[in-house]
Amino acid sequence: SMYQQLVAESGPMRDWQLVTPAEYEARTKARVELPEGSVLLLIRTERERFAVVFQRTPSGDYRATQLAR
């Protein structure tokens, strides 16, 4: 339900890009400390920009764990 509310608040998606923590820091000037193997999905919508952090699980899959606005 959190993601449904986020979509309702943010408006239609304009674009997205998958980046490493280092690429995220370079683009946003925000420092992030994430476990090895994490990636961020940068999302730009009609009304805002935010990132979803994905961490790699022991099985090799990725799980959304954080939202950065």
Side-chain angles (χ1 to χ4, degrees), residues 12-33:
M13 187 179 346
R14 289 195 175 176
D15 60 39
W16 58 271
Q17 189 168 28
L18 194 63
V19 298
T20 66
E23 291 169 326
Y24 178 78
E25 287 181 5
R27 288 172 187 227
T28 65
K29 308 299 183 217
R31 180 149 168 71
V32 294
E33 292 188 31

Side-chain angles (χ1 to χ4, degrees), residues 9 12 22 55 68:
E9 291 175 6
Q55 290 181 351

Side-chain angles (χ1 to χ4, degrees), residues 13-59:
M13 187 179 346
R14 289 195 175 176
D15 60 39
W16 58 271
Q17 189 168 28
L18 194 63
V19 298
T20 66
E23 291 169 326
Y24 178 78
E25 287 181 5
R27 288 172 187 227
T28 65
K29 308 299 183 217
R31 180 149 168 71
V32 294
E33 292 188 31
L34 299 171
E36 184 76 26
S38 296
V39 293
L40 295 100
L41 182 63
L42 297 178
I43 299 171
R44 187 170 61 107
T45 68
E46 186 175 278
R47 295 184 203 123
E48 69 178 301
R49 294 175 191 204
F50 56 90
V52 178
V53 176
F54 287 87
Q55 290 181 351
R56 191 170 198 161
T57 66
S59 67

